[in-house]
Amino acid sequence: MYWLGIYGSLNNSSIHTPGKCFARILATMEGVSQTFHFDVLIVGAGPAGAAAAFFASKQGLSALLVDAEQFPRDKTCGDGLTPRAMRMLEKMGLAGQLTATYRSNGLKLHGFGGSVTAPWPDSPFGEVGSACRRTEFDHLLVQHASAQPEVTTWLGATVHSPTLQGGRVAEVVVTHEGVDKQVRPRHVIVADGVRSTFGKQLGREWHRGEVYGIAARSYCATPLSDEPWIHSHLELRSPDGVAQPGYGWIFPLGNGFANVGCGALSTDKRPARVNTKKLLHHYADSLAVEWSFGAPSEVASALLPMGGAVTGVAGPNWMLIGDAAACVNPLNGEGIDYALETAELAIDLCTASKDFTLVWPFVLREHYGEAFMLARTLARALTYPQFLPVFGPVGLRVPILMRSAARLMGNLVTEEDRDMVSRVWQSAGRLMVGARSESPLWS
Ligand SMILES: Cc1cc2nc3c(=O)[nH]c(=O)nc-3n(C[C@H](O)[C@H](O)[C@H](O)COP(=O)(O)OP(=O)(O)OC[C@H]3O[C@@H](n4cnc5c(N)ncnc54)[C@H](O)[C@@H]3O)c2cc1C
């Protein structure tokens, strides 16, 4: 991709601008080991962590961005960027680079004998989406964050062994280039993804009684990779014809390939008994002629905690963001937009609050509570095998429901939305919060 040319390849395990180490990091020698002091330690350099580093620097906070992997690295994903994600990327000065390669106008939804075209709605987030392979997208974000004046980046480095004092993270160990380094941060942003191994050490718990996703993606060569619509197939059937509780997607990438994948929804009580990789091959085969697909390559699957179904997301000086906080839309599995948004919200809080324990879950609920609660309730309905075959055909034939579906699939519901569909959604959301208050939604 062209931006790799601009920045050069990222092989160094430590990135900093000249003088940064000495000017902004107070490194002291304590016995044989060094201790580093930063305003913010950011664990994980996916979209959430890289954005947090970017916004920290904008606020004048010194930030240490750490990731266990070297970049570029792959991340199993659909690679789709909603207008909501694009608005955050615009703030970060990156939207133009992404839309130069590929722009999406909205969704085409298919299934149950129907097809509907749903342009991205006119909304505060804009009407342009994009898509980009995560190997390239995450690399771009890490490079961009690392180029900010207050950011020091350590890659191939793992954060572990927190020392807690009254719930505060006083110190952590970062194993970097074979050396254990002590880091003493004022604040810690935990952006360590779906498994959140570091978050677990702080008490993060994922509640699998709520809906979660299992999904697989692949890359298929196609001459239609500039197609400006992303495609979702709501009627997803197994090779023996049984309707599955999920959907398939084709996200063109503008580079001769499309990201082709499928996901299914599950709960502890109604686990989706689906081999997503097999289902993906069947799905891609069924569309191979229409899209002139090559064979699916780089097939990979992953789990997705969704809809805020985790607890233990904050302590006095630490906050979980992005996937670590289960900030993923239960209806479509998209989380890059929320990863970027929660990064900015968390950094804002670093400058505004002395103790995050109660205020961070409150902020998450204020921003996403209603929408996530309703979305995961609807998603839960989809885990009942009888739901889709009955309601799917109705949904695809009633325009108002389709517009609603498009909004839900695009993560585009906000308080400002004025049309009737939004108002129904918002009111229903309020009712659901009351009705389901026993369910864990951050805390
Ligand atoms: C199959 C699938 C399809 C999806 N499709 C889409 C889509 O089309 N659009 C969309 O918006 N979202 C999609 N999502 C969701 C999206 O991938 C996530 O929401 C997004 O990656 C969240 O970013 P993150 O920064 O929170 O976590 P990640 O991108 O997972 O980054 C976490 C980082 O933390 C690092 N790390 C972990 N532990 C440590 C540690 N102890 N020390 C140092 N580093 C550590 C990891 O190496 C990793 O790089 C999809 C997910 C799946 C599984």
Side-chain angles (χ1 to χ4, degrees), residues 29 54 110 126 133 199:
M29 297 299 289
F54 174 87
H110 311 276
R133 268 193 79 132

Side-chain angles (χ1 to χ4, degrees), residues 3 12 32 37 43 50 52 80 84 91 134 141 146 151 173 221 230 232 284 305 315 337-338 343 350 368 375 377 432:
W3 56 73
N12 295 336
V32 289
H37 298 255
V43 186
R84 189 167 183 147
K91 276 193 187 183
R134 291 291 297 274
L141 261 64
S146 302
V151 179
V173 179
I230 64 178
S232 290
D337 32 19
Y338 298 122
C350 287
Y368 308 116
T377 303
M432 293 295 178

Side-chain angles (χ1 to χ4, degrees), residues 284-343:
D285 280 355
S286 68
L287 294 160
V289 173
E290 190 185 329
W291 285 78
S292 300
F293 278 150
S297 62
E298 300 176 65
V299 180
S301 63
L303 290 177
L304 293 107
M306 296 168 147
V310 296
T311 49
V313 294
N317 71 336
W318 54 269
M319 290 174 266
L320 268 58
I321 65 171
D323 273 14
C327 289
V328 172
N329 185 316
L331 287 175
N332 62 9
E334 285 173 348
I336 294 171
D337 32 19
Y338 298 122
L340 303 175
E341 286 182 6
T342 52

